[in-house]
Structure formats: structure tokens, C-alpha cells
Amino acid sequence: MIGRLDQLEAARRALASPGSAVVVIGGEAGIGKSRFVRELVAGLPEDVEVFDGRAAPTSIDRPFDVLRSLVAEAVKPTAAEAAADLACWTEGGAVIVVD
């Protein structure tokens, strides 16, 4: 995490703030995005639920497809319903990681 500690701390502060937060991690292949996410998730409180989803190449025109796939039941008609289901399953908060 050489040179990334300030960004990691900023991401942790964003996730710890009240309400919702979005942290976008982007960049070229091989710059350490996966490692950054592992470090970020490892520092979360134990009562925070982590949902990990991977987008399919065919879902490029359906931006919430991966969110719906995280819901164990049948595909929800809207992304809002899928997000509501995820929120109901958690008590201490949730982090959704999408790749």
C-alpha cells in the first residue's frame, strides 16, 4: 500500500460516515485495485456485511444487473427492490463491492 495510505484512509472515512457513501476505485490493470479493496474490506467493523458481485460482460447495458444478482431470490424487477432486500439483511451496515 505504498503511496496509497491517504486514499485508503479517505475511503475508510467515507464508509464510516453516517448515511450512504460511494467509493469508486478505478485505473489501469495491475495498479493494485484488488489489493486496495482487500485492505479496505479488512478494516471494516465485524458487523458490516460485505456483498461481492461481478458484472458479466453482457450486462454493460444493464448497470444494476450485478446488484440484482446479489439477491438470492428471483431477480427483482427493479434495482431499488434489490437494494432494499440487501439492506433488510444487514444490521450493522453493508458494503457492496462490484467488479
Side-chain angles (χ1 to χ4, degrees):
M1 294 306 302
I2 297 172
R4 302 289 170 120
L5 294 179
D6 289 342
Q7 293 147 336
L8 182 60
E9 186 55 36
R12 285 181 175 153
R13 279 194 309 272
L15 294 180
S17 65
S20 300
V22 174
V23 176
V24 177
I25 302 161
E28 299 297 320
I31 65 166
K33 297 180 300 291
S34 296
R35 167 82 190 277
F36 188 91
V37 170
R38 282 194 308 271
E39 293 290 329
L40 182 60
V41 168
L44 294 172
E46 289 187 24
D47 63 343
V48 173
E49 192 82 28
V50 177
F51 297 96
D52 184 9
R54 301 216 178 265
T58 57
S59 67
I60 192 73
D61 60 341
R62 295 182 313 277
F64 295 106
D65 194 44
V66 70
L67 179 61
R68 282 190 210 92
S69 74
L70 291 171
V71 180
E73 301 165 352
V75 175
K76 298 296 178 181
T78 68
E81 289 175 334
D85 277 358
L86 289 175
C88 289
W89 295 342
T90 65
E91 292 182 20
V95 170
I96 301 171
V97 178
V98 178
D99 184 9

